[in-house]
Amino acid sequence: MSDPAAPSPRPLDEEFELDAGWPAPHPQCPHRDVSGVDVDSAGNIYLLTRHDHRVLVFEPDGTLLRAWGEGVFTAPHGLTVGPDDTVYCVDNGDHTVRRFTPDGRLLMTLGSPHEPSDTGFDPTTVPAIHSVETVVRPAGPFNGCTNVAVTGDGHLFVADGYGNCRIHHFDDEGSLLHSWGDAGTGPGEFHLPHCIALTHDGRVLVGDRENDRIQVFAPDGAFLAEWTDLRRPAGVAVGDDGRIYVAELWRPAGEASFTSGVATVDQPGRVTVLDPDGAVLTRWGASSERRGAPGTFIAPHDIAVDAGGRVYVAEVTYTFAVGPGLVGPSCAQHQLQRFGPRSGPSPSTHHVATRPR
């Protein structure tokens, strides 16, 4: 088991550095995981937390503004702040997407609580790779939905991944317009569409987590490309500069991907930054030896970028690693980190691997 080393590691990246004092501890708002993170137009940071199942809102300096959502969520998974600053929370456990005002007043619910769509998914089966392999057919909204992206005019693209293999497109009133996706490893097929974001030119980015790739689509669902120099993309965000930030979940040695086979070595969690065409610009945070030390990652699950270029990385350390015994209990507070841009030139680009189609 890994525990954090006492001293902080040296900087892990030439462009970003850890803001080690952010946020200050808030004992009145305990939690074990931060499953979702995003930033509103004023720079306030919204966290979706587990084991107390609520939303926490912080000012940029780390001051706690408010908390809400107690008694609402079943299994909090994804959080997205829309262009109008309303807050979308994806509940993986009861198969819903809820829209709230910034102070927690419910505006809309998509999906039927506790009524998953029929995909054949069987979470009781012991999987060879991951339980999503039991999804035998695509279906409507929702079965284990994971995250949501919001357009400027309020349309929603929802990733429906733990018990389904689809992306659903809704209009601003919550009416389903169309869906796409099937189970598998080919273009437009998914094994756990886990995260979703929109580029500035309207492309839909889907983190196809257990296929180790991001798939790129037109808004009508037409397949455009896949970016494969990634592993387990769990969170994706697009910065104001158009760059794409990806949180990649840890894959311990011996676990497998549907596309890459069994990992023969430890593949620690990390953050990767891509240009708008999918070329890798920089990476940081991967460490097997110092896992849990400041600036490294245990279970990165979501990511957000504010207008100043600061990067927020949320982790589900307890669910993913402490509970199963992959790391020791002293790692339990490793749940949220902020990284700020350094001064000086950005690192050079190298090209991402792609599979020809």
Side-chain angles (χ1 to χ4, degrees):
M1 295 190 295
S2 300
D3 288 293
S8 298
R10 66 178 180 79
L12 297 175
D13 180 76
E14 296 176 3
E15 187 177 356
F16 292 91
E17 61 184 342
L18 176 67
D19 184 349
W22 189 95
H26 291 275
Q28 71 273 33
C29 288
H31 50 79
R32 289 177 173 176
D33 288 330
V34 180
S35 65
V37 59
D38 208 352
V39 183
D40 70 12
S41 62
N44 298 314
I45 301 93
Y46 288 70
L47 310 182
L48 185 61
T49 66
R50 291 179 180 166
H51 302 287
D52 61 351
H53 295 355
R54 58 184 167 182
V55 173
L56 305 181
V57 187
F58 292 86
E59 292 183 327
D61 66 0
T63 300
L64 181 66
L65 276 176
R66 55 186 173 269
W68 49 264
E70 294 88 342
V72 173
F73 305 113
T74 302
H77 195 273
L79 180 147
T80 300
V81 178
D84 62 355
D85 282 342
T86 57
V87 183
Y88 296 81
C89 296
V90 182
D91 195 329
N92 179 259
D94 77 350
H95 318 288
T96 63
V97 177
R98 296 181 178 91
R99 181 187 182 203
F100 298 91
T101 63
D103 58 1
R105 180 169 58 86
L106 181 64
L107 298 174
M108 180 177 69
T109 300
L110 295 179
S112 300
H114 307 291
E115 295 183 12
S117 57
D118 183 11
T119 65
F121 175 63
D122 182 4
T124 66
T125 297
V126 177
I129 295 177
H130 192 283
S131 61
V132 295
E133 67 199 43
T134 67
V135 175
V136 296
R137 56 187 169 272
F142 299 112
N143 191 324
C145 45
T146 52
N147 225 313
V148 60
V150 189
T151 69
D153 57 1
H155 281 221
L156 308 178
F157 291 89
V158 181
D160 194 9
Y162 269 100
N164 205 347
C165 53
R166 305 229 88 184
I167 305 301
H168 308 290
H169 179 192
F170 297 86
D171 68 16
D172 58 336
E173 296 182 349
S175 297
L176 180 65
L177 299 178
H178 72 288
S179 303
W180 73 87
D182 208 334
T185 60
E189 297 176 342
F190 302 104
H191 281 308
L192 187 40
H194 192 273
C195 55
I196 190 165
L198 303 174
T199 63
H200 297 325
D201 60 4
R203 292 172 294 160
V204 182
L205 308 178
V206 181
D208 187 9
R209 199 185 82 181
E210 298 307 311
N211 284 333
D212 285 341
R213 63 182 177 178
I214 284 178
Q215 295 197 65
V216 186
F217 300 94
D220 63 0
F223 174 83
L224 300 176
E226 63 176 359
W227 301 336
T228 60
D229 190 6
L230 297 163
R231 55 189 188 226
R232 304 194 87 181
V236 61
V238 179
D240 286 351
D241 58 3
R243 300 200 302 175
I244 298 156
Y245 297 76
V246 185
E248 298 173 82
L249 188 64
W250 174 19
R251 177 178 286 119
E255 295 191 2
S257 158
F258 289 96
T259 56
S260 305
V262 176
T264 58
V265 297
D266 186 67
Q267 298 177 353
R270 64 188 182 186
V271 167
T272 293
V273 185
L274 309 173
D275 76 7
D277 296 318
V280 175
L281 297 173
T282 189
R283 284 183 160 129
W284 78 87
S287 177
S288 299
E289 296 77 15
R290 301 181 63 82
R291 182 180 291 117
T296 69
F297 302 114
I298 297 173
H301 190 262
D302 200 10
I303 191 165
V305 188
D306 68 18
R310 291 176 290 268
V311 180
Y312 301 82
V313 183
E315 302 192 54
V316 289
T317 300
Y318 184 85
T319 298
F320 184 85
V322 175
L326 296 176
V327 299
S330 61
C331 292
Q333 298 306 311
H334 198 90
Q335 301 170 14
L336 180 69
Q337 297 181 87
R338 180 168 79 176
F339 299 84
R342 297 179 184 276
S343 59
S346 298
S348 60
T349 299
H350 68 275
H351 291 291
V352 69
T354 60
R355 299 189 189 106
R357 295 295 180 191

mmCIF file with all atom_site columns, all heavy atoms in Angstrom, residues 1-2 250 252 255 291 320-328:
data_model
loop_
_atom_site.group_PDB
_atom_site.id
_atom_site.type_symbol
_atom_site.label_atom_id
_atom_site.label_alt_id
_atom_site.label_comp_id
_atom_site.label_asym_id
_atom_site.label_entity_id
_atom_site.label_seq_id
_atom_site.pdbx_PDB_ins_code
_atom_site.Cartn_x
_atom_site.Cartn_y
_atom_site.Cartn_z
_atom_site.occupancy
_atom_site.B_iso_or_equiv
_atom_site.pdbx_formal_charge
_atom_site.auth_seq_id
_atom_site.auth_comp_id
_atom_site.auth_asym_id
_atom_site.auth_atom_id
_atom_site.pdbx_PDB_model_num
ATOM 1   N N   . MET A 1 1   ? 0.847   -1.196 0.000   1.00 0.00 ? 1   MET A N   1
ATOM 2   C CA  . MET A 1 1   ? 0.000   0.000  0.000   1.00 0.00 ? 1   MET A CA  1
ATOM 3   C C   . MET A 1 1   ? 0.880   1.243  0.000   1.00 0.00 ? 1   MET A C   1
ATOM 4   O O   . MET A 1 1   ? 1.951   1.256  0.588   1.00 0.00 ? 1   MET A O   1
ATOM 5   C CB  . MET A 1 1   ? -0.923  0.006  1.222   1.00 0.00 ? 1   MET A CB  1
ATOM 6   C CG  . MET A 1 1   ? -1.947  -1.114 1.234   1.00 0.00 ? 1   MET A CG  1
ATOM 7   S SD  . MET A 1 1   ? -3.187  -0.922 2.531   1.00 0.00 ? 1   MET A SD  1
ATOM 8   C CE  . MET A 1 1   ? -2.175  -1.084 3.978   1.00 0.00 ? 1   MET A CE  1
ATOM 9   N N   . SER A 1 2   ? 0.396   2.283  -0.671  1.00 0.00 ? 2   SER A N   1
ATOM 10  C CA  . SER A 1 2   ? 1.157   3.528  -0.788  1.00 0.00 ? 2   SER A CA  1
ATOM 11  C C   . SER A 1 2   ? 0.606   4.578  0.154   1.00 0.00 ? 2   SER A C   1
ATOM 12  O O   . SER A 1 2   ? -0.595  4.719  0.299   1.00 0.00 ? 2   SER A O   1
ATOM 13  C CB  . SER A 1 2   ? 1.070   4.054  -2.229  1.00 0.00 ? 2   SER A CB  1
ATOM 14  O OG  . SER A 1 2   ? 1.606   3.107  -3.128  1.00 0.00 ? 2   SER A OG  1
ATOM 15  N N   . TRP A 1 250 ? -6.080  6.061  -12.461 1.00 0.00 ? 250 TRP A N   1
ATOM 16  C CA  . TRP A 1 250 ? -5.075  5.024  -12.200 1.00 0.00 ? 250 TRP A CA  1
ATOM 17  C C   . TRP A 1 250 ? -5.564  3.657  -12.674 1.00 0.00 ? 250 TRP A C   1
ATOM 18  O O   . TRP A 1 250 ? -6.700  3.262  -12.427 1.00 0.00 ? 250 TRP A O   1
ATOM 19  C CB  . TRP A 1 250 ? -4.803  5.027  -10.703 1.00 0.00 ? 250 TRP A CB  1
ATOM 20  C CG  . TRP A 1 250 ? -3.908  3.960  -10.151 1.00 0.00 ? 250 TRP A CG  1
ATOM 21  C CD1 . TRP A 1 250 ? -3.003  3.179  -10.816 1.00 0.00 ? 250 TRP A CD1 1
ATOM 22  C CD2 . TRP A 1 250 ? -3.811  3.578  -8.767  1.00 0.00 ? 250 TRP A CD2 1
ATOM 23  N NE1 . TRP A 1 250 ? -2.361  2.339  -9.946  1.00 0.00 ? 250 TRP A NE1 1
ATOM 24  C CE2 . TRP A 1 250 ? -2.836  2.562  -8.682  1.00 0.00 ? 250 TRP A CE2 1
ATOM 25  C CE3 . TRP A 1 250 ? -4.457  4.011  -7.609  1.00 0.00 ? 250 TRP A CE3 1
ATOM 26  C CZ2 . TRP A 1 250 ? -2.488  1.964  -7.470  1.00 0.00 ? 250 TRP A CZ2 1
ATOM 27  C CZ3 . TRP A 1 250 ? -4.118  3.414  -6.400  1.00 0.00 ? 250 TRP A CZ3 1
ATOM 28  C CH2 . TRP A 1 250 ? -3.150  2.410  -6.335  1.00 0.00 ? 250 TRP A CH2 1
ATOM 29  N N   . PRO A 1 252 ? -4.081  -0.012 -11.906 1.00 0.00 ? 252 PRO A N   1
ATOM 30  C CA  . PRO A 1 252 ? -3.052  -0.833 -11.264 1.00 0.00 ? 252 PRO A CA  1
ATOM 31  C C   . PRO A 1 252 ? -2.573  -1.948 -12.186 1.00 0.00 ? 252 PRO A C   1
ATOM 32  O O   . PRO A 1 252 ? -3.312  -2.429 -13.052 1.00 0.00 ? 252 PRO A O   1
ATOM 33  C CB  . PRO A 1 252 ? -3.769  -1.393 -10.027 1.00 0.00 ? 252 PRO A CB  1
ATOM 34  C CG  . PRO A 1 252 ? -4.913  -0.451 -9.783  1.00 0.00 ? 252 PRO A CG  1
ATOM 35  C CD  . PRO A 1 252 ? -5.342  -0.005 -11.145 1.00 0.00 ? 252 PRO A CD  1
ATOM 36  N N   . GLU A 1 255 ? -4.635  -5.074 -14.067 1.00 0.00 ? 255 GLU A N   1
ATOM 37  C CA  . GLU A 1 255 ? -5.959  -4.757 -14.585 1.00 0.00 ? 255 GLU A CA  1
ATOM 38  C C   . GLU A 1 255 ? -5.869  -4.504 -16.085 1.00 0.00 ? 255 GLU A C   1
ATOM 39  O O   . GLU A 1 255 ? -4.788  -4.264 -16.631 1.00 0.00 ? 255 GLU A O   1
ATOM 40  C CB  . GLU A 1 255 ? -6.559  -3.566 -13.849 1.00 0.00 ? 255 GLU A CB  1
ATOM 41  C CG  . GLU A 1 255 ? -6.825  -3.863 -12.383 1.00 0.00 ? 255 GLU A CG  1
ATOM 42  C CD  . GLU A 1 255 ? -7.654  -2.785 -11.708 1.00 0.00 ? 255 GLU A CD  1
ATOM 43  O OE1 . GLU A 1 255 ? -8.061  -1.822 -12.399 1.00 0.00 ? 255 GLU A OE1 1
ATOM 44  O OE2 . GLU A 1 255 ? -7.886  -2.901 -10.495 1.00 0.00 ? 255 GLU A OE2 1
ATOM 45  N N   . ARG A 1 291 ? 2.989   8.126  -4.861  1.00 0.00 ? 291 ARG A N   1
ATOM 46  C CA  . ARG A 1 291 ? 1.541   8.264  -4.978  1.00 0.00 ? 291 ARG A CA  1
ATOM 47  C C   . ARG A 1 291 ? 0.947   8.759  -3.658  1.00 0.00 ? 291 ARG A C   1
ATOM 48  O O   . ARG A 1 291 ? 1.177   8.188  -2.593  1.00 0.00 ? 291 ARG A O   1
ATOM 49  C CB  . ARG A 1 291 ? 0.919   6.928  -5.375  1.00 0.00 ? 291 ARG A CB  1
ATOM 50  C CG  . ARG A 1 291 ? -0.590  6.991  -5.573  1.00 0.00 ? 291 ARG A CG  1
ATOM 51  C CD  . ARG A 1 291 ? -1.152  5.634  -5.971  1.00 0.00 ? 291 ARG A CD  1
ATOM 52  N NE  . ARG A 1 291 ? -0.730  5.249  -7.297  1.00 0.00 ? 291 ARG A NE  1
ATOM 53  C CZ  . ARG A 1 291 ? 0.023   4.197  -7.555  1.00 0.00 ? 291 ARG A CZ  1
ATOM 54  N NH1 . ARG A 1 291 ? 0.456   3.421  -6.569  1.00 0.00 ? 291 ARG A NH1 1
ATOM 55  N NH2 . ARG A 1 291 ? 0.369   3.910  -8.782  1.00 0.00 ? 291 ARG A NH2 1
ATOM 56  N N   . PHE A 1 320 ? -12.210 4.566  -4.721  1.00 0.00 ? 320 PHE A N   1
ATOM 57  C CA  . PHE A 1 320 ? -11.377 3.827  -5.650  1.00 0.00 ? 320 PHE A CA  1
ATOM 58  C C   . PHE A 1 320 ? -10.205 3.113  -4.981  1.00 0.00 ? 320 PHE A C   1
ATOM 59  O O   . PHE A 1 320 ? -9.819  2.025  -5.402  1.00 0.00 ? 320 PHE A O   1
ATOM 60  C CB  . PHE A 1 320 ? -10.835 4.775  -6.726  1.00 0.00 ? 320 PHE A CB  1
ATOM 61  C CG  . PHE A 1 320 ? -10.041 4.092  -7.799  1.00 0.00 ? 320 PHE A CG  1
ATOM 62  C CD1 . PHE A 1 320 ? -10.667 3.514  -8.891  1.00 0.00 ? 320 PHE A CD1 1
ATOM 63  C CD2 . PHE A 1 320 ? -8.656  4.029  -7.726  1.00 0.00 ? 320 PHE A CD2 1
ATOM 64  C CE1 . PHE A 1 320 ? -9.937  2.877  -9.886  1.00 0.00 ? 320 PHE A CE1 1
ATOM 65  C CE2 . PHE A 1 320 ? -7.910  3.391  -8.709  1.00 0.00 ? 320 PHE A CE2 1
ATOM 66  C CZ  . PHE A 1 320 ? -8.555  2.819  -9.796  1.00 0.00 ? 320 PHE A CZ  1
ATOM 67  N N   . ALA A 1 321 ? -9.621  3.753  -3.954  1.00 0.00 ? 321 ALA A N   1
ATOM 68  C CA  . ALA A 1 321 ? -8.339  3.253  -3.467  1.00 0.00 ? 321 ALA A CA  1
ATOM 69  C C   . ALA A 1 321 ? -8.273  2.939  -1.982  1.00 0.00 ? 321 ALA A C   1
ATOM 70  O O   . ALA A 1 321 ? -7.723  1.910  -1.592  1.00 0.00 ? 321 ALA A O   1
ATOM 71  C CB  . ALA A 1 321 ? -7.245  4.270  -3.821  1.00 0.00 ? 321 ALA A CB  1
ATOM 72  N N   . VAL A 1 322 ? -8.820  3.809  -1.123  1.00 0.00 ? 322 VAL A N   1
ATOM 73  C CA  . VAL A 1 322 ? -8.727  3.541  0.313   1.00 0.00 ? 322 VAL A CA  1
ATOM 74  C C   . VAL A 1 322 ? -9.616  2.366  0.695   1.00 0.00 ? 322 VAL A C   1
ATOM 75  O O   . VAL A 1 322 ? -9.176  1.424  1.375   1.00 0.00 ? 322 VAL A O   1
ATOM 76  C CB  . VAL A 1 322 ? -9.095  4.796  1.131   1.00 0.00 ? 322 VAL A CB  1
ATOM 77  C CG1 . VAL A 1 322 ? -9.108  4.469  2.626   1.00 0.00 ? 322 VAL A CG1 1
ATOM 78  C CG2 . VAL A 1 322 ? -8.099  5.920  0.849   1.00 0.00 ? 322 VAL A CG2 1
ATOM 79  N N   . GLY A 1 323 ? -10.884 2.406  0.256   1.00 0.00 ? 323 GLY A N   1
ATOM 80  C CA  . GLY A 1 323 ? -11.803 1.316  0.583   1.00 0.00 ? 323 GLY A CA  1
ATOM 81  C C   . GLY A 1 323 ? -11.307 -0.046 0.154   1.00 0.00 ? 323 GLY A C   1
ATOM 82  O O   . GLY A 1 323 ? -11.312 -1.002 0.952   1.00 0.00 ? 323 GLY A O   1
ATOM 83  N N   . PRO A 1 324 ? -10.841 -0.214 -1.103  1.00 0.00 ? 324 PRO A N   1
ATOM 84  C CA  . PRO A 1 324 ? -10.341 -1.514 -1.547  1.00 0.00 ? 324 PRO A CA  1
ATOM 85  C C   . PRO A 1 324 ? -8.953  -1.872 -1.015  1.00 0.00 ? 324 PRO A C   1
ATOM 86  O O   . PRO A 1 324 ? -8.456  -2.977 -1.276  1.00 0.00 ? 324 PRO A O   1
ATOM 87  C CB  . PRO A 1 324 ? -10.289 -1.367 -3.077  1.00 0.00 ? 324 PRO A CB  1
ATOM 88  C CG  . PRO A 1 324 ? -11.156 -0.218 -3.400  1.00 0.00 ? 324 PRO A CG  1
ATOM 89  C CD  . PRO A 1 324 ? -11.042 0.710  -2.230  1.00 0.00 ? 324 PRO A CD  1
ATOM 90  N N   . GLY A 1 325 ? -8.290  -0.959 -0.313  1.00 0.00 ? 325 GLY A N   1
ATOM 91  C CA  . GLY A 1 325 ? -6.979  -1.259 0.244   1.00 0.00 ? 325 GLY A CA  1
ATOM 92  C C   . GLY A 1 325 ? -5.820  -1.025 -0.702  1.00 0.00 ? 325 GLY A C   1
ATOM 93  O O   . GLY A 1 325 ? -4.707  -1.500 -0.442  1.00 0.00 ? 325 GLY A O   1
ATOM 94  N N   . LEU A 1 326 ? -6.011  -0.260 -1.776  1.00 0.00 ? 326 LEU A N   1
ATOM 95  C CA  . LEU A 1 326 ? -4.915  0.024  -2.696  1.00 0.00 ? 326 LEU A CA  1
ATOM 96  C C   . LEU A 1 326 ? -3.945  1.046  -2.121  1.00 0.00 ? 326 LEU A C   1
ATOM 97  O O   . LEU A 1 326 ? -2.770  1.072  -2.503  1.00 0.00 ? 326 LEU A O   1
ATOM 98  C CB  . LEU A 1 326 ? -5.462  0.536  -4.036  1.00 0.00 ? 326 LEU A CB  1
ATOM 99  C CG  . LEU A 1 326 ? -6.311  -0.445 -4.843  1.00 0.00 ? 326 LEU A CG  1
ATOM 100 C CD1 . LEU A 1 326 ? -6.869  0.244  -6.088  1.00 0.00 ? 326 LEU A CD1 1
ATOM 101 C CD2 . LEU A 1 326 ? -5.486  -1.664 -5.245  1.00 0.00 ? 326 LEU A CD2 1
ATOM 102 N N   . VAL A 1 327 ? -4.438  1.926  -1.249  1.00 0.00 ? 327 VAL A N   1
ATOM 103 C CA  . VAL A 1 327 ? -3.586  2.869  -0.527  1.00 0.00 ? 327 VAL A CA  1
ATOM 104 C C   . VAL A 1 327 ? -4.019  2.876  0.926   1.00 0.00 ? 327 VAL A C   1
ATOM 105 O O   . VAL A 1 327 ? -5.114  2.414  1.276   1.00 0.00 ? 327 VAL A O   1
ATOM 106 C CB  . VAL A 1 327 ? -3.679  4.301  -1.105  1.00 0.00 ? 327 VAL A CB  1
ATOM 107 C CG1 . VAL A 1 327 ? -3.239  4.344  -2.553  1.00 0.00 ? 327 VAL A CG1 1
ATOM 108 C CG2 . VAL A 1 327 ? -5.081  4.865  -0.963  1.00 0.00 ? 327 VAL A CG2 1
ATOM 109 N N   . GLY A 1 328 ? -3.169  3.419  1.777   1.00 0.00 ? 328 GLY A N   1
ATOM 110 C CA  . GLY A 1 328 ? -3.472  3.450  3.200   1.00 0.00 ? 328 GLY A CA  1
ATOM 111 C C   . GLY A 1 328 ? -4.428  4.557  3.582   1.00 0.00 ? 328 GLY A C   1
ATOM 112 O O   . GLY A 1 328 ? -4.660  5.498  2.824   1.00 0.00 ? 328 GLY A O   1
#
